[in-house]
């Protein structure tokens, strides 16, 4: 489901357009209280808060699954479908058709000077034209002033194409799957586009980065072990505006296996004496009798 995006912190992130992709192995998280296995598809903190949706939790080790077809109404992010599952020392998340900042660049006003330069571009041989340093409109955020040189483009034709033909979203992901089992886990990311450009991500066991800036960053495959023995893995963490808005996509936590209940001994009925079989008494042993037999002949 697509929603129009009003100017928010996401506008600044779209204008910045340059993000950092990196793999992170987080330091252990201190938390003495034991936590259950759990999983959620999307959450956000900042100017546009979004609760963990959908959210699954297994308190007794039994498998729990929950799904959602759309998120709570918000101008920041949309998801076509999400499923979260948690069980005994296992958890997983499936996300499909994630859109961050739908139609965001179409709402950025192009300065008249830049429009004039774009209309005067020749059809060919303009790739060597440098970017003009033109201040962009105030985005209404506590961020440094931005100019056209902050955009992720190399030359004037690229800049004109980006602003005159804005992509449908800041960030688009067709699928995102995350799982954990015990203290290990993995991330599977489908096609990912940033400002309309497809980004090829290497294996999540490798690190990859693009030129970074203080406005936006993306962390892939963030992992951390907790002091209570639990393990958490998050597919994508998107930090906008230097922490003004933080979005977490597909997070799974595997707690220690739930203790199996000990079987209670069942009282046994008293053993019955074997049934007596009625048999006739044994015959007495015969006593020999001495006699004299008559003599014949």
């Amino acid at each position: 489901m697509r929603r129009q995006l009003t100017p928010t912190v996401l506008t600044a992130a779209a204008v910045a357009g340059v993000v950092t992709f990196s793999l992170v192995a987080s330091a252990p998280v201190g938390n003495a209280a034991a936590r259950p296995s759990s999983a959620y598809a999307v959450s956000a903190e900042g100017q546009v808060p979004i609760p963990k949706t959908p959210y699954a939790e297994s308190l007794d080790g039994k498998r729990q699954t929950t799904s959602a077809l759309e998120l709570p109404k918000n101008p920041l992010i949309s998801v076509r479908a999400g499923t979260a599952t948690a069980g005994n020392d296992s958890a997983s998340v499936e996300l499909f058709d994630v859109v961050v900042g739908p139609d965001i660049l179409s709402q950025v006003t192009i300065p008249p000077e830049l429009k004039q330069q774009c209309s005067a571009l020749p059809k060919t041989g303009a790739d060597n034209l440098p970017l003009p340093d033109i201040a962009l409109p105030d985005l209404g955020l506590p961020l440094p002033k931005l100019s056209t040189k902050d955009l992720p483009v190399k030359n004037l034709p690229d800049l004109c194409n980006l602003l005159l033909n804005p992509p449908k979203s800041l960030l688009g992901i067709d699928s995102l799957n995350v799982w954990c089992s015990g203290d290990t886990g993995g991330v599977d990311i489908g096609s990912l586009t940033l400002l309309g450009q497809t980004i090829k991500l290497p294996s999540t066991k490798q690190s990859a980065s693009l030129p970074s800036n203080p406005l936006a960053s993306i962390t892939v495959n963030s992992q951390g072990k907790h002091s209570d023995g639990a393990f958490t893995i998050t597919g994508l963490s998107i930090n906008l505006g230097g922490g003004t808005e933080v979005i977490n996509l597909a997070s799974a936590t595997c707690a220690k296996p739930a203790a199996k209940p000990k079987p209670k001994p069942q009282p046994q009925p008293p053993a019955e004496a074997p049934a007596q079989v009625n048999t006739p008494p044994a015959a007495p042993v015969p006593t020999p009798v001495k006699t004299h037999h008559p003599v014949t002949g």
Side-chain angles (χ1 to χ4, degrees):
M1 183 174 181
R2 300 292 183 271
R3 297 187 174 91
Q4 292 297 321
L5 186 63
T6 55
T8 64
V9 61
L10 198 54
T11 306
V15 172
V18 182
V19 298
T20 299
F21 287 87
S22 61
L23 296 178
V24 176
S26 302
V29 179
N31 190 339
R35 74 198 70 217
S37 292
S38 63
Y40 65 87
V42 178
S43 75
E45 297 178 354
Q47 292 185 357
V48 184
I50 299 174
K52 297 176 180 178
T53 306
Y55 177 75
E57 184 177 80
S58 175
L59 297 174
D60 55 4
K62 294 182 180 179
R63 182 184 176 91
Q64 303 291 337
T65 298
T66 182
S67 299
L69 296 180
E70 65 178 54
L71 300 175
K73 186 177 181 180
N74 74 91
L76 182 64
I77 184 172
S78 67
V79 174
R80 178 168 61 87
T83 300
T85 301
N88 192 16
D89 197 24
S90 64
S92 63
V93 181
E94 290 184 333
L95 269 174
F96 297 98
D97 197 11
V98 182
V99 175
V100 178
D103 300 320
I104 184 64
L105 283 186
S106 64
Q107 302 181 43
V108 177
T109 303
I110 303 176
E113 303 94 325
L114 182 56
K115 277 189 176 181
Q116 184 177 1
Q117 286 184 291
C118 290
S119 62
L121 283 176
K123 293 182 178 181
T124 59
D127 290 346
N128 59 346
L129 294 178
L131 286 174
D133 191 4
I134 301 175
L136 294 177
D138 183 13
L139 300 174
L141 299 170
L143 299 171
K145 293 183 179 180
L146 302 175
S147 77
T148 51
K149 286 189 175 294
D150 295 311
L151 295 173
V153 290
K154 297 179 179 180
N155 49 47
L156 182 57
D158 289 341
L159 174 64
C160 294
N161 182 63
L162 178 64
L163 294 180
L164 296 177
N165 302 286
K168 294 182 179 180
S169 67
L170 167 65
L171 182 68
I173 307 167
D174 66 356
S175 64
L176 175 59
N177 299 325
V178 171
W179 62 271
C180 68
S181 178
D183 59 355
T184 60
V187 176
D188 181 17
I189 303 176
S191 176
L192 186 149
T193 59
L194 175 66
L195 293 178
Q197 299 296 317
T198 300
I199 303 240
K200 289 186 178 181
L201 291 176
S203 167
T204 52
K205 294 182 180 179
Q206 302 176 7
S207 61
S209 63
L210 296 174
S212 62
N213 66 71
L215 298 178
S217 64
I218 295 179
T219 302
V220 182
N221 193 9
S222 175
Q223 301 183 14
K225 293 182 179 181
H226 305 271
S227 60
D228 62 0
F231 170 81
T232 296
I233 178 170
T234 302
L236 288 175
S237 292
I238 306 169
N239 189 319
L240 303 176
T244 305
E245 185 78 25
V246 177
I247 305 168
N248 289 318
L249 299 177
S251 182
T253 295
C254 285
K256 283 186 174 180
K260 296 183 178 179
K262 295 182 179 179
K264 295 181 179 180
Q266 298 295 327
Q268 299 294 329
E272 296 182 1
Q276 299 294 325
V277 180
N278 294 327
T279 56
V285 178
T287 302
V289 179
K290 293 182 180 182
T291 61
H292 298 277
H293 294 278
V295 177
T296 61

